[in-house]
Every structure is written in C-alpha cells, then in structure tokens.
C-alpha cells in the first residue's frame, strides 16, 4: 500500500505540473494577444446535479478569469472566450463577436495560442533534461564494458548470437547502454558488431525485426548475463532454512540447469504458470516443493579470492508467492558504471540532444500501436503510475516528468479534433484557403475528436485492469 501511495503521489504531482504549464502556455499567448480567458482549471469541473463540480475556485478582483480545481483528474483546461473547445459552450458562439474573443483575432495569433501548450511542454522537457544532467550527470554501464556479455533467447540465437557475446554496436552506430535505444538499433540494423571469445566479429541482421516482440518476449531478445550468485539471504526464509548464504551460486532447480539469474527467473516464471493451474492445496504444495542444487563459496583468508567449498542438493518448500528468499546480484555487482558530468553550459546542448532522442524513439515506436500486440500494450493511468519508482527519488521523478512532457506535447499536436493539433489543422486550412470552417463543422469535429480521445482512454485503462486481473 505504501508503494502504491508513493507512486500515486508522484504521478499526481507530475501530471498536475505538466497540465498547469501546458494550459499556462495557452493562457500566456491568449493574454499576450488580448484574448479573454474565462476559466483556468486543473482537472475538469464536470457538474453533478446542482453542484458545479469545483473543489476550489476563486476569481481575483478586476479579473475576467476564474481559477479553480475540478474533481475529475483527467487533465485540465483553459477556457478561451470565443472558441469552440471541450467545454462545448455553443451559447457564447451565438452572440455577436467581441474584440477580446479568440474568433476575432488574426489567424497567426490564434495559431500561436493553440500551439502555446505544446511549445511549453516541449521546452519544459528539454529544460528538465538539461537540469537533470547538470545536477546528477549521466550514469550508465556501457554494453562494451559488460565483459560477461548477454544472455540471448532462441530467436536471437537463430540469427547467430551466442550467450556471452558482448554487444558493441550496429551499422547504425555504437551502443551506449542496454535499453530501448539498443533494441531499436538491433531491430533496424543490417549488421551487429560483437566481441566473442575476445575476437571482434559481425552478425548479419534482417533490418526489420519486430521491436515489440524483442522486448515483450519471455525471455527478452537479449539481457545482461548475470551469474546466479546470491547477494544476500532473508532471515527465516526457505533459502535460509537450507543453509544458503551470501556468495553461493544456484546450479539447478528441479533438474533444470541454472547458469544465470536470467535462467532462474525463466524457471520461476514457468513455475508461476503451473501454479495458476493448481486446484487444491496439495497441488499448490507439489509446485512449491522444489529441489535446488547450489554451490557454497567461502572467502580465502587475507584475499578476495573465492574458493569452491562444495555443492549441496536440498529440497525446499517455497512461499505461496514462490519466493525463495534471496536477493539477486545485479549488473552493479560486477561492473563499474561510467559517470559523465556536465557544466551548466554543457548540460544545455546535452539535454536538448537527450530530449530529441527520446522524442524520436517515442515517435518511431508508435507504428507498433496499430498492431494487435501494440494495442494490448497500450496503458492508462495505472501503467503510467507504475513507471514511477517505488520510493521517492527526485532524479527518477524528473526524468519521468520530462518524458511525460514530451508525450503530452506530441500527443496534443496530433491532428485530431478536440486536441490542440486538430485546432492547428483547421487554422492552417484557413491560412491556406482564406476560408474559415463553419462553426457547425467545428462543433461536430470537436464532438468526434472528444469521443475518440475518450475511447482511447477507456481502452488504455481497461488494459490496465485486465493486466491487473491477470488476463493480459
């Protein structure tokens, strides 16, 4: 529950900040061109019965704008006078046009008002990335420094990869670290450069691998090879009961050879699938009763050398969650990260490059959205919230906020009615043809766009619920 609340608070703080600044962009350009803003709200104040839907509202003296917080946390809005928007205030549009209204302003001014929110979100992301690099620098483990190489799945091995191959790069460039950019490059490249047994070599690739399959498959296309060495043992756990200790290596589970934590997790996943089919407590107990082979290690006095003591075979009953009770070693156990620091002046171009790369990767990945697997991977508020760390971490918080700011900017500029991009599309049409779309057309387009956006939100959040229930 505590982890849920921490993630929830980070999500609400991040989204509130982004929505306020996005709507603030519209507000700023509106005021700059003398357009009246009737309402400026965080969240939507959808009325229920006689209640106007506002949790908080106020209107400063001599101001035309009412500020407030609505009860429905699906974003926010800036109600601009004389404009057809998500408020669907058609009564105002029936009145004679006034000089302070959006519809009476030149097209170029209306265009700037509409792109103001997107512009603020994009610039905000670049600013955050720059300040994150200036404050914390950039820390990563280069793939070429992972001397034990990668653990590859069967699809990767069919292409010619072997366990322990060290990934260097592709014909598209050198890899920085294990992650989304590495998988994107492997998906689009025609050649992968590796080091195998100390010798540089290359592997031919088709150039059109499915990125979604590479990342979502179990096991993944490639993951850092991490020996099944125990980092620590939880007291009174099943592992503690059979004498496992820090530094021990797991060699086999239920007769299946284990050479890494990658294999261990695959076996645990297989057992979890079997566990879901258990009908009785006896069935459950049978799955949880596990035979483990592990090798003891003890430090030689006065040195850091580890000596093999012996291998033990033990039968243990795992917890109902199939937990053994050990903490796994990880990449930081074996590799020293590369730390890159930036001065204030260096952080600005580095942050811009970082943000541009994130935008390019996100836009490139959208093509997978139109596949069945892509639609299933669509996530709503739950999926976004789960991307925040389980403890309060300002570094991770700001990186996630910057990423969401880029997503918000890009999604809003899409030419869909009800989004900023839809309004921009109609304004560009007006600038090119000299004809303004009719108000009736704009109202219908707004309804259509709003319905489409709501449908996408329902699908995304329904996916979250189905994943939570275990159906996806």
């Amino acid at each position: 529950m505590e982890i849920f609340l921490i993630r929830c608070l980070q999500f609400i703080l991040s989204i509130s900040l982004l929505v306020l600044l996005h709507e603030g962009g519209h507000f700023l350009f509106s005021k700059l061109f003398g357009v009246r803003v009737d309402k400026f709200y965080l969240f939507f104040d959808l009325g229920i019965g006689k209640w106007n839907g506002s949790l908080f509202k106020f209107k400063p003296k001599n101001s035309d704008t009412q500020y407030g917080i609505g009860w429905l946390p699906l974003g926010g809005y800036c109600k601009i006078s004389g404009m057809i928007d998500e408020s669907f205030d058609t009564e105002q549009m029936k009145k004679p046009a006034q000089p302070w209204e959006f519809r009476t302003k030149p097209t170029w001014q209306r265009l700037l008002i509409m792109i103001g929110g997107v512009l603020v979100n994009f610039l905000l992301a670049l600013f955050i990335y720059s300040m994150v690099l200036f404050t914390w620098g950039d820390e990563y483990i280069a793939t070429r420094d992972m001397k034990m190489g990668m653990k590859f799945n069967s699809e990767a091995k069919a292409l010619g990869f072997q366990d322990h191959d060290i990934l260097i790069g592709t014909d598209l460039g050198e890899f920085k670290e294990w992650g989304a950019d590495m998988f994107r490059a492997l998906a689009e490249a025609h050649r992968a450069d590796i080091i195998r047994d100390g010798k540089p070599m290359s592997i031919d690739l088709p150039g059109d691998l499915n990125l979604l399959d590479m990342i979502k498959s179990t096991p993944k296309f490639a993951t850092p090879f991490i020996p099944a060495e125990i980092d620590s043992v939880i007291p009174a756990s099943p592992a503690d009961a059979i004498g496992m200790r820090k530094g021990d290596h797991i060699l086999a589970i239920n007769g299946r050879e284990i050479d890494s934590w990658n294999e261990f997790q695959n076996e645990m996943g297989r057992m979890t699938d079997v566990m879901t089919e258990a009908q009785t407590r006896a069935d459950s107990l049978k799955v949880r009763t596990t035979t483990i082979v592990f090798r003891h290690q003890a430090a030689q006095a006065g040195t850091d050398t580890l000596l093999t003591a012996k291998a033990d075979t033990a039968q243990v009953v795992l917890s109902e969650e199939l937990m053994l009770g050990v903490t796994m070693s990880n990449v930081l156990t074996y590799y020293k990260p590369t730390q890159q620091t930036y001065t204030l002046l260096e952080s600005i171009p580095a942050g811009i490059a970082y943000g541009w790369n994130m935008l390019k990767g996100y836009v490139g990945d959208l093509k997978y959205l139109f596949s069945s697997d892509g639609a299933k991977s669509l996530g709503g508020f739950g999926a976004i919230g789960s991307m925040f760390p389980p403890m309060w971490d300002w570094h991770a918080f700001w990186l996630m906020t910057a990423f969401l700011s880029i997503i918000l900017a890009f999604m809003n500029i899409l030419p869909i009615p009800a989004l900023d991009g839809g309004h921009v599309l109609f304004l560009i049409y007006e600038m090119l043809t000299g004809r303004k779309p009719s108000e009736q057309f704009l109202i219908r387009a707004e309804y259509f766009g709003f319905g489409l956006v709501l449908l996408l939100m329902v699908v995304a959040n329904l996916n979250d619920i189905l994943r939570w229930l275990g159906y996806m």
Side-chain angles (χ1 to χ4, degrees), residues 2 13 21 35 76 118 148 390:
E2 182 182 354
L13 177 60
L21 291 175
V35 176
V118 167
M148 287 182 286

Side-chain angles (χ1 to χ4, degrees), residues 12-174:
I12 291 173
L13 177 60
S14 179
I15 291 298
S16 299
L17 175 66
L18 295 180
V19 168
L20 281 173
L21 291 175
H22 176 90
E23 299 303 333
H26 296 309
F27 184 89
L28 175 65
F29 280 101
S30 296
K31 291 297 184 181
L32 184 64
F33 299 130
V35 176
R36 182 177 294 175
V37 176
D38 298 325
K39 298 176 77 173
F40 187 90
Y41 262 67
L42 174 64
F43 306 149
F44 292 111
D45 57 332
L46 184 65
I48 301 176
K50 295 183 179 180
W51 183 46
N52 61 19
S54 297
L55 298 177
F56 167 78
K57 63 178 180 178
F58 77 100
K59 189 173 185 180
K61 189 177 181 181
N62 300 323
S63 173
D64 298 313
T65 307
Q66 176 182 294
Y67 301 88
I69 300 176
W71 68 271
L72 188 60
L74 298 179
Y77 70 99
C78 175
K79 188 178 183 304
I80 299 171
S81 182
M83 174 185 167
I84 297 172
D85 58 11
E86 60 269 23
S87 67
F88 300 107
D89 186 2
T90 56
E91 292 302 316
Q92 184 185 61
M93 304 302 293
K94 295 176 183 178
K95 300 176 183 178
Q98 300 298 326
W100 61 78
E101 289 187 331
F102 177 83
R103 54 180 164 168
T104 63
K105 299 300 178 180
T107 312
W108 67 272
Q109 291 186 2
R110 285 181 280 140
L111 183 63
L112 286 175
I113 290 172
M114 291 318 305
I115 67 174
V118 167
L119 182 62
V120 166
N121 278 133
F122 186 64
L123 293 177
L124 174 66
L126 300 183
F127 174 75
I128 292 175
Y129 281 132
S130 297
M131 292 302 99
V132 166
L133 291 176
F134 173 65
T135 305
W136 287 282
D138 190 12
E139 184 176 281
Y140 60 93
I141 299 174
T143 57
R144 65 164 51 249
D145 292 338
M146 295 182 180
K147 301 305 181 184
M148 287 182 286
M150 296 283 162
K151 182 76 176 178
F152 296 92
N153 67 8
S154 57
E155 287 75 16
K157 289 177 179 177
L159 293 170
F161 290 101
Q162 294 181 13
D163 288 343
H164 299 292
D165 283 349
I166 301 172
L167 295 176
I168 302 301
T170 67
D171 52 309
L172 303 177
E174 185 172 335

Side-chain angles (χ1 to χ4, degrees), residues 22 26 29 80 83-85 102 106-119 408-433 435-437 441-442 445-446:
H22 176 90
H26 296 309
F29 280 101
I80 299 171
M83 174 185 167
I84 297 172
D85 58 11
F102 177 83
T107 312
W108 67 272
Q109 291 186 2
R110 285 181 280 140
L111 183 63
L112 286 175
I113 290 172
M114 291 318 305
I115 67 174
V118 167
L119 182 62
L408 187 60
F410 179 78
M411 295 302 291
N412 263 285
I413 205 61
L414 291 176
I416 299 174
L419 298 179
D420 296 342
H423 294 286
V424 168
L425 178 66
F426 297 140
L427 287 169
I428 291 176
Y429 168 82
E430 182 181 340
M431 293 175 74
L432 293 176
T433 64
R435 296 194 300 270
K436 183 184 293 188
F441 170 81
L442 292 176
E446 193 76 12

Side-chain angles (χ1 to χ4, degrees), residues 260-303:
S260 63
W261 285 122
N262 316 67
E263 292 281 358
F264 178 85
Q265 290 176 311
N266 294 341
E267 180 60 19
M268 287 296 105
R270 189 192 67 80
M271 291 174 64
T272 299
D273 292 339
V274 176
M275 188 74 164
T276 59
E277 302 296 326
Q279 300 292 321
T280 64
R281 288 187 62 84
D283 292 337
S284 171
L285 182 62
K286 184 176 179 181
V287 176
R288 293 190 292 119
T289 302
T290 306
T291 301
I292 294 181
V293 180
F294 61 100
R295 185 182 66 216
H296 290 294
Q297 289 193 330
Q300 184 178 10
T303 73

Side-chain angles (χ1 to χ4, degrees), residues 325-336:
V326 298
T327 303
M328 303 177 187
S329 55
N330 55 57
V331 290
L332 294 175
T333 306
Y334 307 100
Y335 307 117
K336 183 179 180 181

